[in-house]
Amino acid sequence: MKTLYLAGALAAFACTSAFAQTTTVSSDYYVVRDATTKKCTIVDKKPTTTTTTVVDNGTFKTRTEAETGMKTMKVCTEN
């Protein structure tokens, strides 16, 4: 009987640990500006190239927030 309880507890621990890891991993969205085209876009990974740069404080938790933020950034609305 103790073995059954122990197995259940270990299974519950494994499930909650896996769930906690998947929910805490958050994807950030970045508003970036291409140096050659002067256009702003939203990406889900931080840029690693030198041709694109993150605009202002262009890091957002959701794509909707990034879209709203991009509309208010002067460098993105000038063109």
Side-chain angles (χ1 to χ4, degrees), residues 2-43:
K2 288 182 182 181
T3 307
L4 183 61
Y5 285 131
L6 182 60
L10 287 174
F13 177 73
C15 290
T16 56
S17 295
F19 179 72
Q21 288 177 351
T22 58
T23 57
T24 58
V25 174
S26 64
S27 176
D28 289 334
Y29 292 90
Y30 301 90
V31 175
V32 297
R33 184 170 185 243
D34 190 296
T36 55
T37 63
K38 309 288 192 229
K39 301 269 185 194
C40 292
T41 55
I42 298 169
V43 296

Side-chain angles (χ1 to χ4, degrees), residues 23-31 42-45 57-69:
T23 57
T24 58
V25 174
S26 64
S27 176
D28 289 334
Y29 292 90
Y30 301 90
V31 175
I42 298 169
V43 296
D44 60 353
K45 291 185 171 89
N57 187 18
T59 305
F60 300 92
K61 293 293 178 196
T62 66
R63 186 169 187 85
T64 305
E65 288 177 0
E67 290 169 353
T68 304

